[in-house]
Amino acid sequence: MSNSLKASTAGLAIIEKSRQRLGWTKTSTARWWQDAHTSRATLRRFWQGDRIQREIFIAICQAVGIGNWEAIAELSNADLESTVVIPTPYLDCNEAPDVESFYGRNQELAQLEEWIASQKCKLVTINGIAGIGKTALSLALVDRIQLKFDCLIWKSLQTSPSLISLLNSLLNSFEQGVVQNIQQGTTQLIEQLQKRHCLLVLDGLEAILSQPENLSYGQFIQQLSRERHQSCILISSREQLKNIEINTKTSRCLNLKGLPKAEAIELLQSRGFTGKELGLSALIQLYRGNPLALKLVTPLIQSVFGGNIAAFLSQNTLIVGDRLRVILKQQFEQLSGLEQDILYWLAIWQEPVSFSRLQTHLLISVDPGMVLEGIVALERRSLLEKWISDYEPSFTLQPLVMKVVTDELVEYAAQEIYKVMQSHDIRHFQILRTHWLLRPGTDDIAGDRILTQLWKKLWHLYGTTLPQIFNQILLLLNGQSPLAMGYIKSNVAILSGIESV
């Protein structure tokens, strides 16, 4: 008997069902090839229908729970004879990450495959908020369509490489020499994309877009989308590309949303929940089906609340997790002052707000066009939720963004009060001057989330001297112009009233 085996078409279909049940990808779940004591490259060959060592073939089947490996193998006499070797795609996926699990997304995968394989789009982008699963979806797509290309290259942009560095890295994959000029490198790359049917994946483009010195990236991608070639560039990013036409014959964009309820339940079942727990739907809705957020919060629910989701939800809080918090905080810090102001107001309101209503609350009159541009920029960065009504669109924040922005607002407001008390200079007031912290239309001071959170932070800093701190600030405001005071006096007055509530 031959010491090598290959999977039959029917066998691969059986394996496909087994790996979907486990939430594994075809070749990006490290546990699979580790459990089989082999490599990702060998697992790829298994999926391509190539012959691999008998022992490894059996181990790959057993890793997904299939003991009857004979049902997977192609064992015909003709197959055991010498066969023609089918060329496999050239792969440069050293920078592709491993994924722990992947659930659902069948509709998105079908749409992406249609754009890339059928419509022959040259540029396809996957956009969405942090943790929503852009990279995992890209990996699953690559597993699904890589055999339709003769070349696959995956490059991560998380380290913010310069454009010339990226070009040389790409050209090195094509065994081309080093270039010193961006235009020369771009020309050589396009020549390679014309010669080969290549799938080029650029993962994490937002790291580049946040760097002012990398403005040439936009022109580079625009050129790749316009030039004649037979390849496709697949981009994942938290931000949409500016000045590049999308949803045309050759360019498409998928705005990735959270997992639907059924798929989110599959994910939670893999984390130890049965799918019948009380509050499961509410938990999924609270995190908008964000896969990473759900993965990060489940250990806390299990360790602190004994797996009782309803008990966690009764705390009326939202746990972001350090990993997501760092990403969202970095994204917030990269925004313009006006964009941050808009997010602060939306965090204060805690509900969808129309453009016209937002405009009326800005302390300093701002050109409506600039405010609109700010909203568009925030939408492009996947930070807003849009609500369509019969009158005009309204905007609010995704819960994860709402939590991070609220925490930032409270932290900065507390710092402002500290700096003013140290210097006796009210010019340190910025947020407390430009934003009225009490949610419009409410008298529930004690129940106001931002005010009570800020008051508790200040009480932790000043203790029983907090009333004197408020009085000193009010004294500093005497004689100041209305514009200089803005909302400061109103905010301090309302904060000073919380302690008696």
Side-chain angles (χ1 to χ4, degrees):
M1 181 177 290
S2 172
N3 195 40
S4 65
L5 294 171
K6 73 174 185 177
S8 66
T9 302
L12 288 176
I14 296 171
I15 290 286
E16 173 72 7
K17 291 181 180 179
S18 296
R19 71 96 185 165
Q20 286 181 346
R21 184 180 65 253
L22 292 170
W24 291 1
T25 61
K26 285 185 175 179
T27 60
S28 298
T29 301
R31 181 179 171 185
W32 195 345
W33 70 75
Q34 290 169 356
D35 285 358
H37 302 289
T38 185
S39 65
R40 176 190 282 186
T42 302
L43 186 57
R44 287 186 186 278
R45 291 177 56 218
F46 172 87
W47 279 107
Q48 290 165 187
D50 294 345
R51 286 189 171 279
I52 61 175
Q53 290 183 15
R54 178 187 181 87
E55 294 77 10
I56 294 176
F57 182 97
I58 295 172
I60 287 174
C61 295
Q62 291 175 340
V64 289
I66 296 177
N68 182 21
W69 57 267
E70 292 91 345
I72 309 302
E74 176 64 77
L75 298 174
S76 67
N77 292 331
D79 182 63
L80 293 174
E81 298 173 359
S82 178
T83 58
V84 178
V85 177
I86 301 174
T88 58
Y90 168 76
L91 303 175
D92 179 1
C93 294
N94 294 329
E95 297 183 23
D98 302 330
V99 294
E100 176 188 359
S101 58
F102 181 81
Y103 293 92
R105 301 298 196 194
N106 292 325
Q107 183 175 348
E108 291 89 343
L109 285 168
Q111 180 65 83
L112 291 166
E113 184 175 10
E114 167 69 18
W115 288 341
I116 294 174
S118 300
Q119 297 183 17
K120 309 296 183 185
C121 289
K122 289 185 287 187
L123 176 65
V124 174
T125 59
I126 303 174
N127 297 130
I129 193 173
I132 206 67
K134 302 177 293 296
T135 298
L137 178 61
S138 299
L139 286 165
L141 177 66
V142 166
D143 279 343
R144 181 164 171 157
I145 66 173
Q146 61 179 296
L147 294 181
K148 297 183 179 182
F149 292 85
D150 54 38
C151 175
L152 168 62
I153 300 175
W154 181 295
K155 294 297 177 183
S156 172
L157 304 182
Q158 294 299 334
T159 58
S160 303
S162 65
L163 181 53
I164 194 69
S165 296
L166 175 66
L167 282 168
N168 278 312
S169 178
L170 290 169
L171 292 173
N172 181 60
S173 298
F174 291 112
E175 299 182 347
Q176 300 293 299
V178 175
V179 296
Q180 304 296 328
N181 179 276
I182 289 177
Q183 189 54 53
Q184 177 192 359
T186 304
T187 300
Q188 288 189 24
L189 176 61
I190 291 173
E191 288 176 356
Q192 296 301 317
L193 298 180
Q194 291 170 339
K195 292 177 182 178
R196 306 168 186 247
H197 186 38
C198 181
L199 178 60
L200 170 58
V201 183
L202 301 179
D203 183 41
L205 185 68
E206 71 279 345
I208 298 299
L209 298 179
S210 63
Q211 305 296 323
E213 63 272 19
N214 283 323
L215 294 176
S216 52
Y217 259 92
Q219 298 173 344
F220 164 68
I221 294 171
Q222 190 175 55
Q223 188 171 355
L224 293 184
S225 70
R226 290 180 175 177
E227 293 285 346
R228 287 183 175 274
H229 57 76
Q230 58 173 327
S231 300
C232 177
I233 296 86
L234 175 66
I235 293 174
S236 72
S237 176
R238 293 197 296 268
E239 300 185 24
Q240 292 180 13
L241 298 165
K242 294 173 64 176
N243 304 321
I244 293 182
E245 291 185 67
I246 58 174
N247 295 328
T248 65
K249 288 185 177 180
T250 59
S251 299
R252 296 285 184 176
C253 177
L254 176 69
N255 291 310
L256 193 59
K257 305 300 182 184
L259 289 172
K261 179 181 174 181
E263 296 171 2
I265 288 176
E266 284 185 48
L267 185 154
L268 292 171
Q269 286 174 333
S270 74
R271 314 292 289 187
F273 296 94
T274 66
K276 298 179 181 179
E277 287 84 356
L278 293 175
L280 198 65
S281 296
L283 180 69
I284 294 169
Q285 175 60 23
L286 177 64
Y287 286 94
R288 297 296 194 269
N290 186 299
L292 179 57
L294 290 171
K295 290 176 183 178
L296 292 175
V297 76
T298 47
L300 180 140
I301 295 175
Q302 290 167 332
S303 62
V304 178
F305 297 94
N308 189 328
I309 295 175
F312 166 74
L313 294 173
S314 70
Q315 301 301 309
N316 194 29
T317 189
L318 187 144
I319 304 299
V320 177
D322 291 342
R323 182 177 168 189
L324 266 177
R325 181 180 293 278
V326 168
I327 294 172
L328 292 171
K329 187 173 180 179
Q330 288 176 345
Q331 194 172 9
F332 175 81
E333 290 171 348
Q334 291 163 359
L335 302 176
S336 69
L338 177 58
E339 290 164 0
Q340 290 182 355
D341 281 346
I342 292 172
L343 293 189
Y344 283 144
W345 276 117
L346 294 179
I348 292 167
W349 269 309
Q350 304 174 43
E351 63 183 15
V353 178
S354 67
F355 166 74
S356 57
R357 189 180 179 197
L358 173 64
Q359 180 78 10
T360 61
H361 280 74
L362 297 177
L363 179 66
I364 301 174
S365 180
V366 179
D367 179 3
M370 293 180 63
V371 180
L372 279 173
E373 288 179 4
I375 290 175
V376 170
L378 292 170
E379 275 195 285
R380 192 173 63 247
R381 293 182 172 93
S382 308
L383 295 174
L384 297 187
E385 286 186 349
K386 183 188 289 186
W387 294 65
I388 305 298
S389 67
D390 295 335
Y391 302 99
E392 60 178 316
S394 296
F395 305 91
T396 189
L397 304 181
Q398 293 202 25
L400 292 170
V401 180
M402 182 82 75
K403 173 63 175 173
V404 171
V405 173
T406 297
D407 291 347
E408 289 294 293
L409 174 58
V410 169
E411 180 64 30
Y412 284 132
Q415 289 179 14
E416 288 178 9
I417 289 176
Y418 177 80
K419 290 177 181 178
V420 168
M421 294 312 301
Q422 291 292 309
S423 64
H424 299 285
D425 186 349
I426 69 167
R427 286 179 295 181
H428 288 293
F429 281 128
Q430 295 180 29
I431 292 174
L432 289 172
R433 173 177 170 266
T434 57
H435 293 78
W436 170 222
L437 299 187
L438 180 63
R439 183 180 178 184
T442 180
D443 296 323
D444 183 16
I445 299 173
D448 189 275
R449 181 179 55 187
I450 291 178
L451 285 171
T452 53
Q453 187 176 334
L454 176 57
W455 187 87
K456 289 177 181 177
K457 188 173 187 66
L458 293 172
W459 179 263
H460 179 74
L461 291 172
Y462 299 106
T464 56
T465 66
L466 187 56
Q468 288 77 19
I469 297 295
F470 292 143
N471 288 332
Q472 290 179 49
I473 293 174
L474 292 173
L475 288 173
L476 290 173
L477 296 176
N478 286 338
Q480 298 291 334
S481 68
L483 184 59
M485 282 195 297
Y487 292 109
I488 301 172
K489 189 172 184 178
S490 299
N491 284 324
V492 173
I494 204 76
L495 283 167
S496 64
I498 290 180
E499 53 196 326
S500 61
V501 175

